[in-house]
């Protein structure tokens, strides 16, 4: 298999075809999704420029998975929140936080499976048992709370003033501010 630093290289051609250099076969986005689920490490490169386009291809796989089934993994509220961080000061923090959260979620999932296997042993019930939704919801709730707490650390005063305490600026206040601005401008003009 042709690999790049231990990774399988997938080439994407202008006609949108994906070529697995490791198996010398053309693959689809569904094939790449299966590779991800199997834990196979790969990069996707633009065949012409050689640029790494793995991120955009993985995002495309997520988009297709979300639109194929009625079972969406990403709730609308999460997507809205994620979009709101683009261009924000939090944009640099969010990727590492999400990566850490997903790693913690995966570790918790493995621990839950191990506990179920210990409790039920090697029975047909244990092999067919899905992790109860209540446990998943609880883990998701805890991760969401941790995320919100982390966001408050970076924007500590965003929600500091309750809505009742905020007041509309009165015309008198605005006139005073305008006068102060004029005085400052005059001082600046005199300095130059």
């Amino acid at each position: 298999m042709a690999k790049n630093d231990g990774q399988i290289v997938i080439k994407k051609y202008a006609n949108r075809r994906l070529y697995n250099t490791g198996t010398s076969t053309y693959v689809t986005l569904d094939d790449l999704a299966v590779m991800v689920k199997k834990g196979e490490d790969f990069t996707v490169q633009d065949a012409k420029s050689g640029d790494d386009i793995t991120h955009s291809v993985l995002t495309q796989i997520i988009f297709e998975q979300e639109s194929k089934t009625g079972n969406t993994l990403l709730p609308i509220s999460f997507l809205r929140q994620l979009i709101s961080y683009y261009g924000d000061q939090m944009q640099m923090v969010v990727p590492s936080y999400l990566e850490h959260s997903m790693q913690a979620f995966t570790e918790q999932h493995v621990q839950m499976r191990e506990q179920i296997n210990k409790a039920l042993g090697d029975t047909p019930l244990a092999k067919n048992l899905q992790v109860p939704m209540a446990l998943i919801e609880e883990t998701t709730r805890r991760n969401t709370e941790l995320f919100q707490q982390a966001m408050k650390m970076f924007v500590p005063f965003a929600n500091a003033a309750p809505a009742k305490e905020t007041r509309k600026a009165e015309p008198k206040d605005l006139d005073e501010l305008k006068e102060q601005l004029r005085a400052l401008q005059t001082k600046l003009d005199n300095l130059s």
Side-chain angles (χ1 to χ4, degrees):
M1 285 190 167
K3 294 187 179 188
N4 182 18
D5 295 330
Q7 296 178 333
I8 299 168
V9 176
I10 308 294
K11 300 257 183 184
K12 185 172 183 179
Y13 290 93
N15 62 3
R16 298 185 183 174
R17 292 195 71 184
L18 298 163
Y19 183 76
N20 183 334
T21 60
T23 61
S24 299
T25 58
Y26 285 99
V27 293
T28 64
L29 290 176
D30 286 336
D31 295 328
L32 294 181
V34 170
M35 290 172 68
V36 168
K37 290 176 183 180
K38 288 180 178 178
E40 295 181 27
D41 198 13
F42 63 86
T43 60
V44 183
Q45 296 176 354
D46 182 276
K48 187 174 183 180
S49 68
D51 291 342
D52 185 346
I53 57 171
T54 307
H55 186 272
S56 64
V57 170
L58 292 175
T59 304
Q60 187 177 0
I61 291 170
I62 291 170
F63 174 77
E64 289 204 2
Q65 293 293 317
E66 288 282 307
S67 62
K68 276 184 184 177
T69 66
N71 302 329
T72 58
L73 192 60
L74 303 171
I76 290 174
S77 60
F78 173 80
L79 293 171
R80 289 177 197 252
Q81 207 169 15
L82 190 61
I83 290 168
S84 73
Y85 289 122
Y86 282 95
D88 187 82
Q89 61 191 5
M90 297 304 297
Q91 185 172 347
M92 293 187 304
V93 177
V94 172
S96 61
Y97 177 79
L98 291 175
E99 187 174 11
H100 176 73
S101 295
M102 284 303 292
Q103 184 178 356
F105 181 79
T106 301
E107 289 169 4
Q108 290 172 355
H109 183 255
V110 169
Q111 289 173 355
M112 283 189 272
R113 280 183 180 235
E114 288 173 359
Q115 290 175 354
I116 289 173
N117 286 338
K118 284 180 185 176
L120 299 175
D122 191 24
T123 64
L125 178 61
K127 292 178 182 172
N128 295 325
L129 187 65
Q130 295 289 326
V131 177
M133 284 304 292
L135 293 175
I136 293 173
E137 288 172 2
E138 176 63 20
T139 302
T140 304
R141 185 189 60 74
R142 282 188 289 168
N143 286 341
T144 302
E145 286 173 3
L146 288 172
F147 180 70
Q148 289 171 344
Q149 289 172 0
M151 293 302 113
K152 287 178 184 175
M153 286 174 32
F154 292 102
V155 189
F157 304 110
N159 297 323
K164 292 180 183 177
E165 291 181 19
T166 58
R167 63 182 178 90
K168 193 174 181 180
E170 295 180 20
K172 182 175 130 183
D173 294 336
L174 291 175
D175 291 338
E176 287 176 18
L177 286 173
K178 287 179 185 177
E179 186 58 40
Q180 289 174 356
L181 282 172
R182 280 190 206 106
L184 284 172
Q185 185 63 47
T186 304
K187 287 182 183 179
L188 286 172
D189 291 340
N190 290 338
L191 289 174
S192 352

